[in-house]
Amino acid sequence: MTLTEQKRALRLLMIDRRAALGDSARLAAAQALLATFRREAPFARQGVVSGFWPIKEEIDIRPLMQELAQAGCRLALPVVEGKGQP
């Protein structure tokens, strides 16, 4: 199996695992992400932070992004022109 095939297989496995999570596990993951950020304090200055709007089973980083915005960071999100487009 090539590296590309291994990566594709791992991605599909992780999608399946995330799909199996319940609402409480998803909420706990989002809260744990925020708690880790608060504990680790990875940067001390305001800046531009890139994020994403969660779709399907992706972790909901909106609580973290909200805290970053309240701390004075500028948020950058990707622009989606339309379904199936870059």
PDB file of all heavy atoms in Angstrom, residues 2-30:
ATOM      1  N   THR A   2       0.604   2.158  -0.888  1.00  0.00           N
ATOM      2  CA  THR A   2       1.395   3.389  -0.970  1.00  0.00           C
ATOM      3  C   THR A   2       1.070   4.304   0.203  1.00  0.00           C
ATOM      4  O   THR A   2       0.058   4.123   0.885  1.00  0.00           O
ATOM      5  CB  THR A   2       1.112   4.143  -2.283  1.00  0.00           C
ATOM      6  OG1 THR A   2      -0.219   4.650  -2.232  1.00  0.00           O
ATOM      7  CG2 THR A   2       1.316   3.264  -3.504  1.00  0.00           C
ATOM      8  N   LEU A   3       1.911   5.307   0.389  1.00  0.00           N
ATOM      9  CA  LEU A   3       1.669   6.275   1.448  1.00  0.00           C
ATOM     10  C   LEU A   3       0.345   7.012   1.229  1.00  0.00           C
ATOM     11  O   LEU A   3      -0.418   7.241   2.171  1.00  0.00           O
ATOM     12  CB  LEU A   3       2.829   7.271   1.524  1.00  0.00           C
ATOM     13  CG  LEU A   3       2.760   8.292   2.639  1.00  0.00           C
ATOM     14  CD1 LEU A   3       2.671   7.634   4.004  1.00  0.00           C
ATOM     15  CD2 LEU A   3       3.966   9.226   2.588  1.00  0.00           C
ATOM     16  N   THR A   4       0.049   7.349  -0.014  1.00  0.00           N
ATOM     17  CA  THR A   4      -1.219   8.019  -0.341  1.00  0.00           C
ATOM     18  C   THR A   4      -2.400   7.125   0.013  1.00  0.00           C
ATOM     19  O   THR A   4      -3.393   7.591   0.583  1.00  0.00           O
ATOM     20  CB  THR A   4      -1.255   8.404  -1.826  1.00  0.00           C
ATOM     21  OG1 THR A   4      -0.161   9.276  -2.104  1.00  0.00           O
ATOM     22  CG2 THR A   4      -2.562   9.065  -2.200  1.00  0.00           C
ATOM     23  N   GLU A   5      -2.300   5.850  -0.274  1.00  0.00           N
ATOM     24  CA  GLU A   5      -3.382   4.910   0.048  1.00  0.00           C
ATOM     25  C   GLU A   5      -3.520   4.740   1.563  1.00  0.00           C
ATOM     26  O   GLU A   5      -4.633   4.657   2.087  1.00  0.00           O
ATOM     27  CB  GLU A   5      -3.122   3.558  -0.617  1.00  0.00           C
ATOM     28  CG  GLU A   5      -3.245   3.591  -2.124  1.00  0.00           C
ATOM     29  CD  GLU A   5      -2.696   2.344  -2.795  1.00  0.00           C
ATOM     30  OE1 GLU A   5      -1.836   1.660  -2.200  1.00  0.00           O
ATOM     31  OE2 GLU A   5      -3.120   2.057  -3.927  1.00  0.00           O
ATOM     32  N   GLN A   6      -2.380   4.697   2.263  1.00  0.00           N
ATOM     33  CA  GLN A   6      -2.414   4.596   3.728  1.00  0.00           C
ATOM     34  C   GLN A   6      -3.088   5.816   4.334  1.00  0.00           C
ATOM     35  O   GLN A   6      -3.899   5.704   5.255  1.00  0.00           O
ATOM     36  CB  GLN A   6      -1.003   4.451   4.285  1.00  0.00           C
ATOM     37  CG  GLN A   6      -0.348   3.130   3.979  1.00  0.00           C
ATOM     38  CD  GLN A   6       1.093   3.099   4.445  1.00  0.00           C
ATOM     39  OE1 GLN A   6       1.603   4.029   5.058  1.00  0.00           O
ATOM     40  NE2 GLN A   6       1.778   2.000   4.154  1.00  0.00           N
ATOM     41  N   LYS A   7      -2.757   6.984   3.807  1.00  0.00           N
ATOM     42  CA  LYS A   7      -3.349   8.228   4.310  1.00  0.00           C
ATOM     43  C   LYS A   7      -4.855   8.229   4.056  1.00  0.00           C
ATOM     44  O   LYS A   7      -5.638   8.598   4.939  1.00  0.00           O
ATOM     45  CB  LYS A   7      -2.694   9.421   3.611  1.00  0.00           C
ATOM     46  CG  LYS A   7      -3.163  10.751   4.119  1.00  0.00           C
ATOM     47  CD  LYS A   7      -2.428  11.887   3.421  1.00  0.00           C
ATOM     48  CE  LYS A   7      -2.960  13.227   3.834  1.00  0.00           C
ATOM     49  NZ  LYS A   7      -2.289  14.338   3.135  1.00  0.00           N
ATOM     50  N   ARG A   8      -5.278   7.806   2.878  1.00  0.00           N
ATOM     51  CA  ARG A   8      -6.704   7.752   2.563  1.00  0.00           C
ATOM     52  C   ARG A   8      -7.430   6.787   3.493  1.00  0.00           C
ATOM     53  O   ARG A   8      -8.513   7.089   4.003  1.00  0.00           O
ATOM     54  CB  ARG A   8      -6.895   7.346   1.098  1.00  0.00           C
ATOM     55  CG  ARG A   8      -8.357   7.362   0.645  1.00  0.00           C
ATOM     56  CD  ARG A   8      -8.511   7.049  -0.833  1.00  0.00           C
ATOM     57  NE  ARG A   8      -7.851   8.067  -1.634  1.00  0.00           N
ATOM     58  CZ  ARG A   8      -6.873   7.815  -2.531  1.00  0.00           C
ATOM     59  NH1 ARG A   8      -6.463   6.584  -2.742  1.00  0.00           N
ATOM     60  NH2 ARG A   8      -6.338   8.792  -3.222  1.00  0.00           N
ATOM     61  N   ALA A   9      -6.826   5.618   3.741  1.00  0.00           N
ATOM     62  CA  ALA A   9      -7.448   4.622   4.613  1.00  0.00           C
ATOM     63  C   ALA A   9      -7.551   5.151   6.045  1.00  0.00           C
ATOM     64  O   ALA A   9      -8.582   4.968   6.713  1.00  0.00           O
ATOM     65  CB  ALA A   9      -6.641   3.320   4.582  1.00  0.00           C
ATOM     66  N   LEU A  10      -6.508   5.815   6.527  1.00  0.00           N
ATOM     67  CA  LEU A  10      -6.537   6.381   7.876  1.00  0.00           C
ATOM     68  C   LEU A  10      -7.588   7.478   7.980  1.00  0.00           C
ATOM     69  O   LEU A  10      -8.311   7.563   8.970  1.00  0.00           O
ATOM     70  CB  LEU A  10      -5.159   6.923   8.245  1.00  0.00           C
ATOM     71  CG  LEU A  10      -5.017   7.521   9.642  1.00  0.00           C
ATOM     72  CD1 LEU A  10      -5.381   6.505  10.719  1.00  0.00           C
ATOM     73  CD2 LEU A  10      -3.599   8.031   9.850  1.00  0.00           C
ATOM     74  N   ARG A  11      -7.686   8.310   6.954  1.00  0.00           N
ATOM     75  CA  ARG A  11      -8.687   9.378   6.954  1.00  0.00           C
ATOM     76  C   ARG A  11     -10.098   8.782   7.053  1.00  0.00           C
ATOM     77  O   ARG A  11     -10.932   9.250   7.833  1.00  0.00           O
ATOM     78  CB  ARG A  11      -8.564  10.224   5.687  1.00  0.00           C
ATOM     79  CG  ARG A  11      -9.543  11.390   5.670  1.00  0.00           C
ATOM     80  CD  ARG A  11      -9.394  12.249   4.424  1.00  0.00           C
ATOM     81  NE  ARG A  11      -8.128  12.966   4.436  1.00  0.00           N
ATOM     82  CZ  ARG A  11      -7.187  12.852   3.497  1.00  0.00           C
ATOM     83  NH1 ARG A  11      -7.372  12.064   2.461  1.00  0.00           N
ATOM     84  NH2 ARG A  11      -6.073  13.541   3.581  1.00  0.00           N
ATOM     85  N   LEU A  12     -10.365   7.732   6.288  1.00  0.00           N
ATOM     86  CA  LEU A  12     -11.684   7.088   6.325  1.00  0.00           C
ATOM     87  C   LEU A  12     -11.961   6.463   7.688  1.00  0.00           C
ATOM     88  O   LEU A  12     -13.086   6.541   8.203  1.00  0.00           O
ATOM     89  CB  LEU A  12     -11.799   6.043   5.218  1.00  0.00           C
ATOM     90  CG  LEU A  12     -11.849   6.592   3.795  1.00  0.00           C
ATOM     91  CD1 LEU A  12     -11.790   5.461   2.776  1.00  0.00           C
ATOM     92  CD2 LEU A  12     -13.080   7.449   3.585  1.00  0.00           C
ATOM     93  N   LEU A  13     -10.939   5.864   8.291  1.00  0.00           N
ATOM     94  CA  LEU A  13     -11.093   5.288   9.625  1.00  0.00           C
ATOM     95  C   LEU A  13     -11.444   6.363  10.643  1.00  0.00           C
ATOM     96  O   LEU A  13     -12.349   6.186  11.470  1.00  0.00           O
ATOM     97  CB  LEU A  13      -9.804   4.571  10.039  1.00  0.00           C
ATOM     98  CG  LEU A  13      -9.779   3.991  11.454  1.00  0.00           C
ATOM     99  CD1 LEU A  13     -10.832   2.903  11.620  1.00  0.00           C
ATOM    100  CD2 LEU A  13      -8.390   3.461  11.774  1.00  0.00           C
ATOM    101  N   MET A  14     -10.764   7.488  10.588  1.00  0.00           N
ATOM    102  CA  MET A  14     -11.032   8.574  11.535  1.00  0.00           C
ATOM    103  C   MET A  14     -12.422   9.179  11.306  1.00  0.00           C
ATOM    104  O   MET A  14     -13.099   9.538  12.268  1.00  0.00           O
ATOM    105  CB  MET A  14      -9.962   9.652  11.437  1.00  0.00           C
ATOM    106  CG  MET A  14      -8.573   9.209  11.881  1.00  0.00           C
ATOM    107  SD  MET A  14      -8.519   8.713  13.628  1.00  0.00           S
ATOM    108  CE  MET A  14      -8.460   6.940  13.478  1.00  0.00           C
ATOM    109  N   ILE A  15     -12.846   9.286  10.064  1.00  0.00           N
ATOM    110  CA  ILE A  15     -14.199   9.773   9.773  1.00  0.00           C
ATOM    111  C   ILE A  15     -15.226   8.842  10.403  1.00  0.00           C
ATOM    112  O   ILE A  15     -16.191   9.287  11.038  1.00  0.00           O
ATOM    113  CB  ILE A  15     -14.419   9.909   8.256  1.00  0.00           C
ATOM    114  CG1 ILE A  15     -13.629  11.106   7.721  1.00  0.00           C
ATOM    115  CG2 ILE A  15     -15.908  10.048   7.924  1.00  0.00           C
ATOM    116  CD1 ILE A  15     -13.588  11.192   6.201  1.00  0.00           C
ATOM    117  N   ASP A  16     -15.016   7.534  10.265  1.00  0.00           N
ATOM    118  CA  ASP A  16     -15.941   6.560  10.851  1.00  0.00           C
ATOM    119  C   ASP A  16     -15.956   6.652  12.379  1.00  0.00           C
ATOM    120  O   ASP A  16     -17.017   6.580  12.999  1.00  0.00           O
ATOM    121  CB  ASP A  16     -15.569   5.139  10.426  1.00  0.00           C
ATOM    122  CG  ASP A  16     -15.898   4.845   8.976  1.00  0.00           C
ATOM    123  OD1 ASP A  16     -16.668   5.621   8.353  1.00  0.00           O
ATOM    124  OD2 ASP A  16     -15.375   3.849   8.446  1.00  0.00           O
ATOM    125  N   ARG A  17     -14.789   6.824  12.978  1.00  0.00           N
ATOM    126  CA  ARG A  17     -14.716   6.926  14.442  1.00  0.00           C
ATOM    127  C   ARG A  17     -15.429   8.182  14.932  1.00  0.00           C
ATOM    128  O   ARG A  17     -16.141   8.145  15.929  1.00  0.00           O
ATOM    129  CB  ARG A  17     -13.269   6.927  14.913  1.00  0.00           C
ATOM    130  CG  ARG A  17     -12.632   5.560  14.855  1.00  0.00           C
ATOM    131  CD  ARG A  17     -11.261   5.582  15.468  1.00  0.00           C
ATOM    132  NE  ARG A  17     -10.667   4.261  15.419  1.00  0.00           N
ATOM    133  CZ  ARG A  17      -9.462   3.974  15.880  1.00  0.00           C
ATOM    134  NH1 ARG A  17      -8.729   4.927  16.439  1.00  0.00           N
ATOM    135  NH2 ARG A  17      -8.994   2.769  15.795  1.00  0.00           N
ATOM    136  N   ARG A  18     -15.219   9.297  14.249  1.00  0.00           N
ATOM    137  CA  ARG A  18     -15.894  10.531  14.657  1.00  0.00           C
ATOM    138  C   ARG A  18     -17.406  10.410  14.465  1.00  0.00           C
ATOM    139  O   ARG A  18     -18.177  10.906  15.283  1.00  0.00           O
ATOM    140  CB  ARG A  18     -15.354  11.728  13.874  1.00  0.00           C
ATOM    141  CG  ARG A  18     -13.970  12.147  14.311  1.00  0.00           C
ATOM    142  CD  ARG A  18     -13.573  13.492  13.741  1.00  0.00           C
ATOM    143  NE  ARG A  18     -13.724  13.602  12.307  1.00  0.00           N
ATOM    144  CZ  ARG A  18     -12.738  13.418  11.425  1.00  0.00           C
ATOM    145  NH1 ARG A  18     -11.530  13.107  11.824  1.00  0.00           N
ATOM    146  NH2 ARG A  18     -12.976  13.561  10.138  1.00  0.00           N
ATOM    147  N   ALA A  19     -17.827   9.739  13.407  1.00  0.00           N
ATOM    148  CA  ALA A  19     -19.260   9.574  13.147  1.00  0.00           C
ATOM    149  C   ALA A  19     -19.929   8.748  14.247  1.00  0.00           C
ATOM    150  O   ALA A  19     -21.117   8.919  14.519  1.00  0.00           O
ATOM    151  CB  ALA A  19     -19.475   8.921  11.782  1.00  0.00           C
ATOM    152  N   ALA A  20     -19.165   7.886  14.888  1.00  0.00           N
ATOM    153  CA  ALA A  20     -19.719   7.021  15.939  1.00  0.00           C
ATOM    154  C   ALA A  20     -19.855   7.736  17.279  1.00  0.00           C
ATOM    155  O   ALA A  20     -20.497   7.211  18.193  1.00  0.00           O
ATOM    156  CB  ALA A  20     -18.839   5.778  16.097  1.00  0.00           C
ATOM    157  N   LEU A  21     -19.281   8.920  17.407  1.00  0.00           N
ATOM    158  CA  LEU A  21     -19.357   9.654  18.677  1.00  0.00           C
ATOM    159  C   LEU A  21     -20.753  10.225  18.892  1.00  0.00           C
ATOM    160  O   LEU A  21     -21.403  10.663  17.949  1.00  0.00           O
ATOM    161  CB  LEU A  21     -18.350  10.800  18.691  1.00  0.00           C
ATOM    162  CG  LEU A  21     -16.883  10.422  18.668  1.00  0.00           C
ATOM    163  CD1 LEU A  21     -16.020  11.672  18.542  1.00  0.00           C
ATOM    164  CD2 LEU A  21     -16.502   9.628  19.907  1.00  0.00           C
ATOM    165  N   GLY A  22     -21.170  10.258  20.122  1.00  0.00           N
ATOM    166  CA  GLY A  22     -22.445  10.875  20.469  1.00  0.00           C
ATOM    167  C   GLY A  22     -22.266  12.359  20.742  1.00  0.00           C
ATOM    168  O   GLY A  22     -21.142  12.878  20.792  1.00  0.00           O
ATOM    169  N   ASP A  23     -23.377  13.052  20.935  1.00  0.00           N
ATOM    170  CA  ASP A  23     -23.345  14.496  21.180  1.00  0.00           C
ATOM    171  C   ASP A  23     -22.527  14.862  22.416  1.00  0.00           C
ATOM    172  O   ASP A  23     -21.792  15.847  22.413  1.00  0.00           O
ATOM    173  CB  ASP A  23     -24.764  15.049  21.327  1.00  0.00           C
ATOM    174  CG  ASP A  23     -25.530  15.035  20.014  1.00  0.00           C
ATOM    175  OD1 ASP A  23     -24.879  14.947  18.949  1.00  0.00           O
ATOM    176  OD2 ASP A  23     -26.765  15.125  20.059  1.00  0.00           O
ATOM    177  N   SER A  24     -22.645  14.066  23.479  1.00  0.00           N
ATOM    178  CA  SER A  24     -21.913  14.386  24.704  1.00  0.00           C
ATOM    179  C   SER A  24     -20.408  14.251  24.495  1.00  0.00           C
ATOM    180  O   SER A  24     -19.625  15.055  25.027  1.00  0.00           O
ATOM    181  CB  SER A  24     -22.377  13.510  25.871  1.00  0.00           C
ATOM    182  OG  SER A  24     -22.130  12.144  25.598  1.00  0.00           O
ATOM    183  N   ALA A  25     -19.977  13.281  23.718  1.00  0.00           N
ATOM    184  CA  ALA A  25     -18.552  13.119  23.427  1.00  0.00           C
ATOM    185  C   ALA A  25     -18.046  14.264  22.561  1.00  0.00           C
ATOM    186  O   ALA A  25     -16.924  14.748  22.753  1.00  0.00           O
ATOM    187  CB  ALA A  25     -18.297  11.780  22.743  1.00  0.00           C
ATOM    188  N   ARG A  26     -18.859  14.716  21.629  1.00  0.00           N
ATOM    189  CA  ARG A  26     -18.463  15.848  20.779  1.00  0.00           C
ATOM    190  C   ARG A  26     -18.311  17.127  21.617  1.00  0.00           C
ATOM    191  O   ARG A  26     -17.356  17.874  21.460  1.00  0.00           O
ATOM    192  CB  ARG A  26     -19.504  16.080  19.690  1.00  0.00           C
ATOM    193  CG  ARG A  26     -19.569  14.983  18.677  1.00  0.00           C
ATOM    194  CD  ARG A  26     -20.698  15.265  17.667  1.00  0.00           C
ATOM    195  NE  ARG A  26     -20.996  14.098  16.900  1.00  0.00           N
ATOM    196  CZ  ARG A  26     -20.249  13.628  15.911  1.00  0.00           C
ATOM    197  NH1 ARG A  26     -19.150  14.259  15.586  1.00  0.00           N
ATOM    198  NH2 ARG A  26     -20.580  12.546  15.259  1.00  0.00           N
ATOM    199  N   LEU A  27     -19.262  17.358  22.511  1.00  0.00           N
ATOM    200  CA  LEU A  27     -19.198  18.523  23.387  1.00  0.00           C
ATOM    201  C   LEU A  27     -17.981  18.440  24.310  1.00  0.00           C
ATOM    202  O   LEU A  27     -17.265  19.426  24.510  1.00  0.00           O
ATOM    203  CB  LEU A  27     -20.479  18.653  24.210  1.00  0.00           C
ATOM    204  CG  LEU A  27     -20.545  19.824  25.181  1.00  0.00           C
ATOM    205  CD1 LEU A  27     -20.391  21.156  24.456  1.00  0.00           C
ATOM    206  CD2 LEU A  27     -21.863  19.781  25.949  1.00  0.00           C
ATOM    207  N   ALA A  28     -17.718  17.254  24.836  1.00  0.00           N
ATOM    208  CA  ALA A  28     -16.559  17.063  25.715  1.00  0.00           C
ATOM    209  C   ALA A  28     -15.261  17.333  24.965  1.00  0.00           C
ATOM    210  O   ALA A  28     -14.324  17.929  25.521  1.00  0.00           O
ATOM    211  CB  ALA A  28     -16.560  15.648  26.293  1.00  0.00           C
ATOM    212  N   ALA A  29     -15.194  16.934  23.710  1.00  0.00           N
ATOM    213  CA  ALA A  29     -13.988  17.179  22.911  1.00  0.00           C
ATOM    214  C   ALA A  29     -13.772  18.669  22.697  1.00  0.00           C
ATOM    215  O   ALA A  29     -12.650  19.169  22.823  1.00  0.00           O
ATOM    216  CB  ALA A  29     -14.090  16.451  21.572  1.00  0.00           C
ATOM    217  N   ALA A  30     -14.828  19.401  22.393  1.00  0.00           N
ATOM    218  CA  ALA A  30     -14.721  20.849  22.191  1.00  0.00           C
ATOM    219  C   ALA A  30     -14.286  21.531  23.489  1.00  0.00           C
ATOM    220  O   ALA A  30     -13.437  22.430  23.475  1.00  0.00           O
ATOM    221  CB  ALA A  30     -16.047  21.417  21.695  1.00  0.00           C
TER     222      ALA A  30
END
